[in-house]
Amino acid sequence: MELRVIDKTDEELRIEVAGEDHTFMNVIKGALLETEGVAAATYDVNPEQSGGQTEPILSIKTEDGVDPLDALGDASRHVQSTVDEFSAAFEAAT
């Protein structure tokens, strides 16, 4: 996975997430939408709508005073924690 920041302001971020598809992008988008201070999160993989871009573009908009990179970090840690919990439950069940 490679990340490339396309645009960043105090409250908005557009970042390319190379090598991923809908599966990962839906997970990170969902985690972002549950993150405090995130007003909107979406992604686009449609080359016609993204100027020929073929890698997913994640867009984040935050509330005043919330850095979108911090929000992305918080969402990523939440995803990791959920995966760790699932793995532990799975191991305990088998």
Side-chain angles (χ1 to χ4, degrees), residues 31-41 60-63 66 68 71-72:
L32 279 161
L33 292 172
E34 294 176 354
T35 300
E36 187 173 335
V38 172
I60 304 166
K61 181 164 178 38
T62 57
E63 298 170 356
V66 177
L72 182 56

Side-chain angles (χ1 to χ4, degrees), residues 8 22 24 36 43 59 69-70 74 80 91:
K8 181 176 183 319
H22 291 287
F24 177 78
E36 187 173 335
Y43 72 92
S59 299
L69 284 173
D70 291 341
D74 291 346
Q80 183 63 53
E91 290 298 321

Side-chain angles (χ1 to χ4, degrees), residues 1-5 15-20 24-25 53 55-56:
M1 175 185 310
E2 293 181 34
L3 305 178
R4 182 176 64 91
V5 174
I15 188 167
E16 179 184 76
V17 185
E20 295 303 327
F24 177 78
M25 298 307 293
Q53 181 68 36
E55 299 291 354

Side-chain angles (χ1 to χ4, degrees), residues 4-64:
R4 182 176 64 91
V5 174
I6 296 169
D7 294 309
K8 181 176 183 319
T9 66
D10 290 343
E11 291 150 358
E12 293 187 36
L13 174 67
R14 290 184 67 232
I15 188 167
E16 179 184 76
V17 185
E20 295 303 327
D21 60 15
H22 291 287
T23 304
F24 177 78
M25 298 307 293
N26 275 314
V27 170
I28 198 67
K29 179 186 86 168
L32 279 161
L33 292 172
E34 294 176 354
T35 300
E36 187 173 335
V38 172
T42 189
Y43 72 92
D44 181 22
V45 292
N46 185 341
E48 289 82 28
Q49 293 179 354
S50 59
Q53 181 68 36
T54 58
E55 299 291 354
I57 306 273
L58 178 65
S59 299
I60 304 166
K61 181 164 178 38
T62 57
E63 298 170 356
D64 286 343

Side-chain angles (χ1 to χ4, degrees), residues 73-92:
D74 291 346
S76 297
R77 285 185 287 280
H78 175 73
V79 169
Q80 183 63 53
S81 175
T82 301
V83 169
D84 290 345
E85 289 174 24
F86 179 83
S87 295
F90 179 77
E91 290 298 321

